[in-house]
């Protein structure tokens, strides 16, 4: 049995009990009032007839007194009046209906209830003074009283049932609206919360404790949703930080490996380039093939030496010499140095100087990082196009590995209109030796070097790219470095 039914049953039973008690009290009160009026009426009639009979008996005679009682009996329809002798024996027509000894024990004026063959009746005896013990017997049937009690009980039962039905329906409707329906809505809300669904506020029309509970549940769901969002963000930040730690570990490993390779391969490359220079300088063999091969050996050895120098720079980057520098100036110099290369590739390189910022950076390192990004942008458009470099300021939030705080940052954007970067490639672009260029066109160290330089300056690089829509590389230097 649910709460609504229990509440309705309890109220209905309580109401039935109150109505039944009220009916019983009313019936008893009516019976007392009826009995009091009947007793007063009987005694008044009895004293009047007994007194008159006593005077006639004393002055006129017994026969006339008996006639008076008989005449009074004929006139009364509800009460039977009879002259009785208190010393009459059983079977005497004037003997009392009740036991003579019982009648004698009564007061001169008293009544008593008794059951007769015709039903229950009340007897009232009034003594008649005279020569022989006599009394006036008044007998009144209780059938009317019993009928009244039955009618009153029936009426009370019907009224109680009618009130119970009407009030029960009213209580059921009120309980359904005020308790049943709100409770079902609260249960459904609790079940949705249990399944993890924290959306959809519960609004109840009434203004009571149930609506207050609904409001508290709504506020609880809002707080849970906020905490859930915060936990999700913190989890994502931890995963990003873990990924950055793994990436940093890979960079460290690659750096150590690169440093070792650079040292091991440096001497053989010096020997090879030296021998090639001897061949060219001494001219021991003037044949075109030998001279051409020596030049190729020198070119390739120089290229390998440059790669080894990049490896050494990546593995053992010198400490940054940070000085107060205008970021627009650093960017302008990088654009001027690479403008000739861009024109040679058919790329138009433009600079947009917005709100300048004075930052504490190593100008040479920052110029190197920016140059690497610009060269990558130029390489991304083999058919030519435009590369835009812009400088400005922005309020941004750092990623998890950079502290995750919001601050005013200096920002450099390098935007190309190339082919863009595929989503599966994007997470790996800052890994050493990872490149999408053709063999011989890149070493895969440019973005790694730029990433390390910017990170050393407590900044970060943000990449926005999609296949066919070009790429945007953004360098952020937070307020701590400004």
């Amino acid at each position: 049995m649910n709460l609504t039914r229990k509440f309705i049953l309890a109220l209905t039973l309580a109401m039935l009990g109150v109505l039944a008690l009220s009916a019983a009290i009313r019936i008893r009160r009516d019976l007392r009032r009826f009995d009091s009026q009947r007793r007063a009426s009987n005694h008044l009639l009895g004293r009047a007839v007994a007194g008159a009979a006593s005077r006639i008996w004393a002055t006129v005679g017994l026969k006339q007194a008996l006639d008076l009682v008989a005449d009074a009996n004929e006139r009364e329809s509800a009460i039977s009046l009879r002259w009785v002798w208190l010393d009459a024996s059983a079977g005497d027509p004037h003997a009392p209906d009740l036991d003579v000894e019982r009648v004698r024990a009564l007061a001169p004026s008293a009544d008593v209830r008794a059951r007769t063959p015709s039903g229950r009746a009340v007897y009232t005896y009034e003594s008649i003074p005279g020569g022989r013990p006599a009394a006036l017997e008044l007998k009144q049937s209780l059938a009317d009283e019993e009928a009244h009690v039955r009618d009153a009980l029936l009426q009370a039962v019907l009224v109680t049932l009618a009130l119970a039905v009407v009030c029960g329906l009213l209580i059921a409707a009120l309980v359904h609206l005020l308790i049943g329906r709100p409770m079902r809505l609260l249960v459904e809300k609790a079940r949705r919360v249990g399944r993890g669904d924290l959306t959809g506020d519960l609004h109840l029309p009434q203004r009571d404790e149930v609506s207050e509970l609904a409001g508290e549940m709504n506020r609880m769901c809002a707080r849970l949703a906020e905490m859930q969002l915060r936990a999700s963000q913190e989890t994502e930040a931890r995963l990003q930080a873990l990924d950055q730690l793994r990436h940093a570990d890979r960079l460290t490993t690659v750096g150590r490996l690169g440093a070792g390779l650079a040292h091991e391969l440096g001497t053989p490359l010096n020997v090879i380039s030296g021998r090639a220079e001897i061949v060219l300088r001494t001219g021991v063999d003037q044949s075109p093939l030998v001279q051409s091969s020596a030049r190729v050996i020198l070119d390739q050895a120089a290229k390998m030496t440059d790669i080894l120098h990049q490896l050494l720079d990546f593995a053992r980057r010198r400490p940054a010499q940070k000085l107060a520098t205008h970021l627009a100036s650093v960017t302008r110099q990088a654009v001027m140095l690479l403008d000739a290369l861009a024109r040679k590739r058919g790329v138009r390189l433009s600079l947009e100087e917005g709100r300048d910022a004075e930052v504490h950076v190593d100008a040479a390192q920052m110029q190197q990082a920016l140059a690497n990004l610009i060269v990558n942008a130029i390489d991304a458009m083999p058919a030519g196009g435009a590369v835009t470099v812009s400088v400005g300021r922005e309020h941004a939030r750092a990623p998890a590995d950079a502290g995750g705080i919001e601050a005013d940052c200096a920002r450099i954007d390098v935007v190309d209109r190339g082919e863009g970067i595929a989503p599966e490639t994007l997470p790996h672009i800052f890994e050493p030796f990872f490149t999408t260029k053709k063999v011989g066109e890149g070493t895969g160290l440019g973005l790694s070097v730029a990433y390390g330089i910017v990170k050393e300056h407590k900044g970060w690089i943000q990449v926005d790219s999609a296949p066919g829509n070009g790429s945007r590389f953004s360098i952020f230097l937070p307020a701590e470095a400004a």
Side-chain angles (χ1 to χ4, degrees):
M1 184 179 294
N2 56 27
L3 179 61
T4 303
R5 293 178 182 175
K6 291 180 179 178
F7 197 73
I8 293 173
L9 181 60
L11 288 178
T12 303
L13 291 178
M15 182 183 61
L16 288 175
V18 171
L19 291 175
L21 180 61
S22 175
I25 294 174
R26 185 176 65 254
I27 291 173
R28 290 194 61 180
R29 185 178 63 247
D30 293 344
L31 288 177
R32 289 195 191 96
R33 185 169 60 251
F34 181 80
D35 191 61
S36 176
Q37 293 175 354
R38 179 199 53 74
R39 184 181 297 111
S41 176
N42 288 352
H43 283 295
L44 180 62
L45 177 61
R47 282 194 293 271
V49 175
S54 175
R55 287 193 296 273
I56 292 175
W57 185 14
T59 57
V60 179
L62 179 59
K63 181 177 182 307
Q64 286 76 12
L66 293 174
D67 292 339
L68 174 64
V69 173
D71 183 64
N73 180 53
E74 291 178 0
R75 294 176 181 274
E76 292 292 332
S77 58
I79 302 176
S80 173
L81 289 86
R82 197 163 65 92
W83 183 294
V84 296
W85 299 110
L86 299 181
D87 57 355
S89 59
D92 191 328
H94 291 282
D97 287 347
L98 301 182
D99 182 60
V100 175
E101 297 299 330
R102 185 179 180 186
V103 175
R104 288 176 179 174
L106 295 175
S109 177
D111 55 7
V112 64
R113 294 174 181 268
R115 181 173 294 278
T116 64
S118 59
R120 295 180 68 249
V122 59
Y123 288 87
T124 302
Y125 291 92
E126 294 288 342
S127 61
I128 302 176
R132 184 178 176 184
L136 180 65
E137 182 185 74
L138 292 88
K139 175 184 175 184
Q140 185 177 6
S141 175
L142 295 177
D144 294 341
E145 182 178 338
E146 293 173 350
H148 172 74
V149 171
R150 287 193 300 269
D151 293 342
L153 287 175
L154 180 60
Q155 182 181 4
V157 170
L158 294 177
V159 170
T160 301
L161 291 177
L163 288 176
V165 171
V166 173
C167 294
L169 293 176
L170 181 59
I171 291 172
L174 291 176
V175 169
H176 172 73
L177 291 175
L178 299 179
I179 298 179
R181 181 175 175 275
M183 284 300 176
R184 283 197 299 272
L185 294 176
L186 287 172
V187 170
E188 293 176 1
K189 176 70 173 178
R191 289 173 178 170
R192 291 201 306 272
V193 172
R195 292 193 297 266
D197 182 9
L198 302 177
T199 59
D201 288 346
L202 179 59
H203 298 286
L204 299 179
Q206 65 259 37
R207 294 293 181 266
D208 52 19
E209 290 80 359
V210 179
S211 63
E212 184 178 354
L213 176 59
E216 288 298 326
M217 289 190 68
N218 292 334
R219 286 186 284 274
M220 177 191 70
C221 290
R223 290 192 294 269
L224 288 175
E226 182 181 354
M227 294 174 64
Q228 190 179 51
L229 177 60
R230 188 182 307 166
S232 177
Q233 293 175 346
E234 291 177 355
T235 301
E236 184 178 357
R238 290 190 181 98
L239 291 177
Q240 291 178 356
L242 181 61
D243 186 65
Q244 294 295 333
L245 287 174
R246 291 172 179 170
H247 179 65
D249 184 65
R250 289 195 297 268
L251 293 180
T252 303
T253 303
V254 172
R256 291 173 181 173
L257 177 62
L261 287 174
H263 282 291
E264 294 296 329
L265 297 178
T267 300
L269 284 175
N270 290 332
V271 172
I272 292 172
S273 61
R275 297 286 180 171
E277 287 180 359
I278 291 174
V279 172
L280 288 174
R281 187 169 56 248
T282 59
V284 293
D285 190 344
Q286 297 298 326
S287 64
L289 178 61
V290 172
Q291 295 294 316
S292 175
S293 298
R295 290 190 184 91
V296 171
I297 291 173
L298 279 175
D299 290 341
Q300 297 302 317
K303 184 178 292 186
M304 293 179 66
T305 302
D306 290 340
I307 294 174
L308 291 177
H309 287 165
Q310 290 184 15
L311 274 174
L312 287 173
D313 290 340
F314 174 75
R316 297 180 178 178
R317 191 177 298 114
R318 63 179 176 82
Q321 303 296 323
K322 299 179 182 180
L323 299 173
T325 307
H326 286 280
L327 196 59
S329 175
V330 175
T331 307
R332 192 181 307 113
Q333 292 177 12
V335 171
M336 291 174 58
L337 289 173
L338 296 172
D339 186 60
L341 175 64
R343 287 199 305 270
K344 182 179 179 181
R345 299 282 186 88
V347 176
R348 185 178 71 260
L349 187 59
S350 61
L351 174 63
E352 296 178 356
E353 297 186 22
R355 184 182 173 191
D356 193 12
E358 187 180 61
V359 292
H360 287 75
V361 296
D362 188 315
Q365 289 189 5
M366 192 57 60
Q367 188 173 338
Q368 178 186 359
L370 184 57
N372 289 344
L373 296 183
I374 296 175
V375 169
N376 273 355
I378 294 173
D379 293 340
M381 295 184 296
V387 174
T388 303
V389 182
S390 60
V391 182
R393 294 180 68 92
E394 182 179 328
H395 190 78
R397 178 186 290 274
D401 62 314
I405 62 174
E406 291 187 7
D408 288 328
C409 301
R411 174 172 177 167
I412 307 174
D413 290 329
V414 179
V415 183
D416 65 70
R417 279 79 174 174
E419 299 177 353
I421 304 174
E424 62 273 11
T425 304
L426 199 58
H428 307 286
I429 60 175
F430 293 114
E431 294 179 1
F433 303 108
F434 181 85
T435 180
T436 57
K437 299 177 182 178
K438 295 180 181 179
V439 177
E441 294 184 0
T443 61
L445 290 173
L447 289 179
S448 298
V449 171
Y451 176 85
I453 292 174
V454 174
K455 187 174 182 180
E456 187 175 353
H457 286 78
K458 298 181 181 180
W460 70 93
I461 300 179
Q462 178 178 303
V463 184
D464 297 315
S465 181
N469 293 326
S471 303
R472 177 190 295 270
F473 284 77
S474 302
I475 296 177
F476 290 88
L477 298 175
E480 290 80 13

